[in-house]
Protein backbone atom coordinates (compact mmCIF):
# COMPACT_ATOMS: atom_id res chain seq x y z
CA UNK A 1 0.00 0.00 0.00
CA UNK A 2 1.18 3.51 -0.77
CA UNK A 3 1.79 5.60 2.36
CA UNK A 4 -0.05 8.90 2.06
CA UNK A 5 -0.13 11.37 4.91
CA UNK A 6 -2.56 14.29 4.84
CA UNK A 7 -1.67 17.50 6.68
CA UNK A 8 -3.75 20.66 6.87
CA UNK A 9 -3.36 23.84 8.84
CA UNK A 10 -3.53 27.64 8.75
CA UNK A 11 -0.94 30.15 7.63
CA UNK A 12 2.31 30.08 9.54
CA UNK A 13 1.71 26.89 11.52
CA UNK A 14 5.07 25.69 10.19
CA UNK A 15 3.43 23.16 7.91
CA UNK A 16 5.91 23.32 5.07
CA UNK A 17 9.07 22.95 7.13
CA UNK A 18 7.54 20.39 9.49
CA UNK A 19 6.08 18.44 6.56
CA UNK A 20 9.43 18.39 4.83
CA UNK A 21 11.28 17.19 7.93
CA UNK A 22 8.72 14.46 8.63
CA UNK A 23 8.71 13.31 5.00
CA UNK A 24 12.53 13.20 4.98
CA UNK A 25 12.59 11.09 8.14
CA UNK A 26 10.08 8.69 6.59
CA UNK A 27 11.89 8.62 3.25
CA UNK A 28 8.84 9.83 1.32
CA UNK A 29 8.20 12.93 -0.80
CA UNK A 30 6.58 16.11 0.46
CA UNK A 31 3.98 17.74 -1.76
CA UNK A 32 3.44 21.43 -0.92
CA UNK A 33 0.03 22.17 -2.43
CA UNK A 34 0.14 25.82 -1.28
CA UNK A 35 2.98 26.33 -3.75
CA UNK A 36 0.66 25.19 -6.54
CA UNK A 37 -2.02 27.78 -5.62
CA UNK A 38 0.76 30.36 -5.33
CA UNK A 39 2.03 29.47 -8.80
CA UNK A 40 -1.49 29.80 -10.22
CA UNK A 41 -1.89 33.18 -8.47
CA UNK A 42 1.42 34.48 -9.82
CA UNK A 43 0.73 33.18 -13.29
CA UNK A 44 -2.66 34.94 -13.28
CA UNK A 45 -1.11 38.21 -12.05
CA UNK A 46 1.54 38.06 -14.76
CA UNK A 47 -1.10 37.41 -17.39
CA UNK A 48 -3.03 40.47 -16.23
CA UNK A 49 -6.05 38.46 -15.11
CA UNK A 50 -8.36 40.19 -12.60
CA UNK A 51 -8.09 37.96 -9.53
CA UNK A 52 -11.61 38.87 -8.43
CA UNK A 53 -13.00 37.54 -11.72
CA UNK A 54 -13.71 33.88 -10.96
CA UNK A 55 -14.48 32.90 -14.56
CA UNK A 56 -11.31 34.52 -15.89
CA UNK A 57 -9.08 32.98 -13.19
CA UNK A 58 -10.66 29.57 -13.78
CA UNK A 59 -10.17 29.81 -17.53
CA UNK A 60 -6.56 30.86 -17.00
CA UNK A 61 -5.95 27.91 -14.66
CA UNK A 62 -7.40 25.45 -17.17
CA UNK A 63 -5.17 26.88 -19.90
CA UNK A 64 -1.88 26.51 -18.03
CA UNK A 65 0.14 23.45 -17.15
CA UNK A 66 1.05 23.26 -13.44
CA UNK A 67 3.67 20.70 -12.51
CA UNK A 68 5.98 19.92 -9.60
CA UNK A 69 9.42 18.39 -9.52
CA UNK A 70 11.35 17.25 -6.50
CA UNK A 71 14.98 18.34 -6.21
CA UNK A 72 17.62 18.10 -3.43
CA UNK A 73 16.42 21.50 -2.21
CA UNK A 74 12.80 20.49 -2.07
CA UNK A 75 9.89 21.04 -4.40
CA UNK A 76 10.11 23.13 -7.56
CA UNK A 77 6.80 24.43 -8.85
CA UNK A 78 6.56 24.88 -12.58
CA UNK A 79 4.03 26.60 -14.84
CA UNK A 80 4.19 26.03 -18.58
CA UNK A 81 7.75 24.79 -18.21
CA UNK A 82 8.93 27.82 -16.22
CA UNK A 83 10.17 27.24 -12.66
CA UNK A 84 8.33 29.83 -10.51
CA UNK A 85 9.60 28.57 -7.14
CA UNK A 86 11.77 31.61 -6.41
CA UNK A 87 8.96 34.12 -7.05
CA UNK A 88 6.02 32.74 -5.10
CA UNK A 89 6.84 33.70 -1.50
CA UNK A 90 5.99 37.41 -1.62
CA UNK A 91 3.05 38.84 0.41
CA UNK A 92 1.31 39.75 -2.87
CA UNK A 93 1.49 36.18 -4.16
CA UNK A 94 0.42 34.80 -0.73
CA UNK A 95 -2.79 36.79 -0.88
CA UNK A 96 -3.29 35.96 -4.57
CA UNK A 97 -2.98 32.24 -3.76
CA UNK A 98 -5.61 32.57 -1.07
CA UNK A 99 -7.89 34.44 -3.48
CA UNK A 100 -7.61 32.01 -6.41
CA UNK A 101 -8.04 29.18 -3.89
CA UNK A 102 -11.62 30.37 -3.31
CA UNK A 103 -12.67 29.24 -6.77
CA UNK A 104 -14.20 25.82 -7.34
CA UNK A 105 -12.80 25.41 -10.86
CA UNK A 106 -9.28 26.23 -9.70
CA UNK A 107 -9.55 23.80 -6.79
CA UNK A 108 -10.80 21.03 -9.09
CA UNK A 109 -7.78 21.40 -11.35
CA UNK A 110 -5.31 21.40 -8.45
CA UNK A 111 -6.96 18.52 -6.59
CA UNK A 112 -6.88 16.35 -9.73
CA UNK A 113 -3.13 16.88 -10.15
CA UNK A 114 -2.47 16.25 -6.46
CA UNK A 115 -4.53 13.05 -6.41
CA UNK A 116 -2.75 11.76 -9.51
CA UNK A 117 0.63 12.30 -7.89
CA UNK A 118 -0.32 10.77 -4.54
CA UNK A 119 -1.91 7.72 -6.14
CA UNK A 120 1.42 6.43 -7.42
CA UNK A 121 3.98 7.82 -4.97
CA UNK A 122 4.23 7.64 -1.17
CA UNK A 123 4.02 11.24 -0.02
CA UNK A 124 3.10 13.64 2.73
CA UNK A 125 0.73 16.20 1.24
CA UNK A 126 0.25 19.53 3.02
CA UNK A 127 -2.37 22.19 2.37
CA UNK A 128 -5.84 23.30 3.46
CA UNK A 129 -8.22 20.67 2.00
CA UNK A 130 -6.04 17.58 2.03
CA UNK A 131 -7.89 15.62 4.73
CA UNK A 132 -11.33 16.43 3.41
CA UNK A 133 -10.85 16.49 -0.36
CA UNK A 134 -7.48 15.42 -1.74
CA UNK A 135 -6.80 12.34 0.41
CA UNK A 136 -10.01 11.51 2.27
CA UNK A 137 -8.82 7.92 2.74
CA UNK A 138 -5.31 8.70 3.97
CA UNK A 139 -4.34 6.45 6.90
CA UNK A 140 -2.81 9.43 8.72
CA UNK A 141 -4.55 12.80 8.92
CA UNK A 142 -3.10 15.76 10.78
CA UNK A 143 -4.21 19.31 11.52
CA UNK A 144 -1.21 21.40 12.46
CA UNK A 145 -1.96 24.66 14.19
CA UNK A 146 -0.80 27.25 16.75
CA UNK A 147 -2.30 30.47 18.11
CA UNK A 148 -2.51 33.36 15.61
CA UNK A 149 -0.12 35.44 17.74
CA UNK A 150 2.46 32.65 17.85
CA UNK A 151 2.17 31.96 14.11
CA UNK A 152 2.60 35.67 13.38
CA UNK A 153 5.54 35.87 15.77
CA UNK A 154 7.32 32.99 13.99
CA UNK A 155 6.63 34.48 10.57
CA UNK A 156 7.82 37.91 11.76
CA UNK A 157 11.08 36.47 13.19
CA UNK A 158 11.70 34.68 9.90
CA UNK A 159 11.16 37.96 8.01
CA UNK A 160 13.44 39.88 10.41
CA UNK A 161 16.22 37.37 9.76
CA UNK A 162 15.90 38.13 6.06
CA UNK A 163 16.23 41.87 6.78
CA UNK A 164 12.53 42.60 6.29
CA UNK A 165 11.40 45.42 8.59
CA UNK A 166 7.62 44.84 8.39
CA UNK A 167 6.21 45.46 11.89
CA UNK A 168 4.80 42.52 13.86
CA UNK A 169 1.31 44.09 13.95
CA UNK A 170 1.19 44.14 10.17
CA UNK A 171 2.28 40.50 9.91
CA UNK A 172 -0.44 39.56 12.40
CA UNK A 173 -3.04 41.57 10.46
CA UNK A 174 -2.12 39.88 7.13
CA UNK A 175 -2.18 36.47 8.76
CA UNK A 176 -5.65 37.08 10.21
CA UNK A 177 -6.89 38.29 6.81
CA UNK A 178 -5.66 35.14 5.10
CA UNK A 179 -7.06 32.92 7.91
CA UNK A 180 -10.40 34.65 7.46
CA UNK A 181 -10.41 34.06 3.70
CA UNK A 182 -9.20 30.42 3.93
CA UNK A 183 -11.59 29.45 6.74
CA UNK A 184 -14.70 31.15 5.41
CA UNK A 185 -14.65 30.38 1.69
CA UNK A 186 -17.59 28.49 0.26
CA UNK A 187 -15.60 25.61 -1.21
CA UNK A 188 -13.72 23.28 1.16
CA UNK A 189 -12.92 25.85 3.83
CA UNK A 190 -9.99 25.10 6.10
CA UNK A 191 -11.09 23.19 9.19
CA UNK A 192 -10.04 20.00 10.93
CA UNK A 193 -11.93 16.84 9.92
CA UNK A 194 -13.24 14.64 12.72
CA UNK A 195 -10.68 11.96 11.98
CA UNK A 196 -7.68 14.30 11.97
CA UNK A 197 -5.27 14.47 14.90
CA UNK A 198 -4.92 18.10 15.98
CA UNK A 199 -1.32 19.06 16.64
CA UNK A 200 -1.16 22.40 18.46
CA UNK A 201 2.45 23.56 18.29
CA UNK A 202 2.03 26.80 20.27
CA UNK A 203 4.07 25.40 23.16
CA UNK A 204 6.31 23.03 21.17
CA UNK A 205 9.56 23.61 19.34
CA UNK A 206 10.30 22.33 15.84
CA UNK A 207 11.96 19.05 16.87
CA UNK A 208 9.22 18.27 19.38
CA UNK A 209 6.56 18.68 16.69
CA UNK A 210 8.46 16.45 14.24
CA UNK A 211 8.91 13.70 16.86
CA UNK A 212 5.30 13.97 17.96
CA UNK A 213 4.07 13.57 14.39
CA UNK A 214 6.40 10.65 13.71
CA UNK A 215 4.88 9.00 16.80
CA UNK A 216 1.36 9.51 15.42
CA UNK A 217 2.39 8.08 12.03
CA UNK A 218 3.89 5.01 13.68
CA UNK A 219 0.81 4.46 15.80
CA UNK A 220 -1.61 4.88 12.88
CA UNK A 221 0.30 2.75 10.41
CA UNK A 222 0.89 -0.11 12.85
CA UNK A 223 -2.80 -0.47 13.54
O1 LIG B 1 0.27 26.95 2.47
P1 LIG B 1 0.46 28.30 1.78
O2 LIG B 1 0.50 29.46 2.74
O3 LIG B 1 1.64 28.30 0.86
O4 LIG B 1 -0.84 28.48 0.87
C1 LIG B 1 -1.09 29.67 0.14
C2 LIG B 1 -2.60 29.84 -0.07
O5 LIG B 1 -3.06 28.87 -1.00
C3 LIG B 1 -3.45 29.69 1.18
O6 LIG B 1 -3.65 30.92 1.84
C4 LIG B 1 -4.74 29.13 0.64
C5 LIG B 1 -4.36 28.42 -0.65
N1 LIG B 1 -4.35 26.96 -0.51
C6 LIG B 1 -5.53 26.31 -0.69
O7 LIG B 1 -6.56 26.95 -0.89
N2 LIG B 1 -5.56 24.93 -0.65
C7 LIG B 1 -4.45 24.22 -0.42
N3 LIG B 1 -4.51 22.89 -0.41
C8 LIG B 1 -3.23 24.89 -0.21
C9 LIG B 1 -3.21 26.27 -0.25
Amino acid sequence: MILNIAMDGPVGAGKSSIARAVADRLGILHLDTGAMYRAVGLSAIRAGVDLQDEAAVTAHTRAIDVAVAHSENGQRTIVNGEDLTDYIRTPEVSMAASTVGRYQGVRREMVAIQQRLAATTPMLVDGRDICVRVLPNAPVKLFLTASAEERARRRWLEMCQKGDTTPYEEVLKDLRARDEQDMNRAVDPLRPTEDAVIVDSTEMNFDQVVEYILGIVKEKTNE
Side-chain angles (χ1 to χ4, degrees), residues 19-207:
R20 202 171 150 197
V22 171
D24 280 352
R25 288 277 295 274
L26 293 169
I28 62 177
L29 288 181
H30 163 220
L31 179 65
D32 173 0
T33 64
M36 298 170 69
Y37 288 90
R38 287 169 181 272
V40 169
L42 176 58
S43 169
I45 291 171
R46 283 188 179 176
V49 176
D50 174 3
L51 297 185
Q52 301 304 324
D53 183 341
E54 176 168 358
V57 173
T58 304
H60 179 78
T61 308
R62 292 199 178 121
I64 59 176
D65 175 52
V66 181
V68 298
H70 286 90
S71 74
E72 289 253 310
N73 302 322
Q75 175 174 316
R76 312 301 299 180
T77 310
I78 299 155
V79 172
N80 290 345
E82 186 190 353
D83 186 345
L84 297 186
T85 314
D86 295 340
Y87 313 108
I88 57 177
R89 300 283 156 199
T90 65
E92 185 194 14
V93 176
S94 299
M95 205 57 203
S98 177
T99 300
V100 303
R102 297 198 324 242
Y103 305 141
Q104 170 92 281
V106 173
R107 306 203 66 79
R108 267 203 202 129
E109 296 290 316
M110 295 304 110
V111 170
I113 300 169
Q114 293 152 15
Q115 288 179 331
R116 248 192 336 266
L117 292 168
T120 52
T121 312
M123 49 174 63
L124 189 161
V125 184
D126 95 63
R128 302 289 190 289
D129 60 339
I130 312 305
C131 295
V132 73
R133 182 69 53 200
V134 179
L135 300 173
N137 300 316
V140 186
K141 291 184 174 179
L142 304 159
F143 189 87
L144 184 62
T145 189
S147 69
E149 290 77 12
E150 176 62 16
R151 288 185 284 123
R153 195 186 66 84
R154 290 178 192 167
R155 179 57 53 97
W156 176 72
L157 282 175
E158 230 174 72
M159 291 164 77
C160 289
Q161 274 160 13
K162 288 182 191 153
D164 190 324
T165 55
T166 311
Y168 167 81
E169 286 69 28
E170 200 173 309
V171 177
L172 179 63
K173 191 168 143 256
D174 282 0
L175 182 136
R176 286 196 200 279
R178 206 137 66 87
D179 270 0
E180 170 77 20
Q181 183 155 277
D182 294 346
M183 291 175 180
N184 294 305
R185 66 177 177 226
V187 193
D188 295 343
L190 171 68
R191 58 184 57 145
T193 52
E194 273 191 11
D195 53 358
V197 179
I198 297 181
V199 180
D200 185 333
S201 74
T202 309
E203 308 280 337
M204 286 194 241
N205 67 32
F206 186 86
D207 291 337

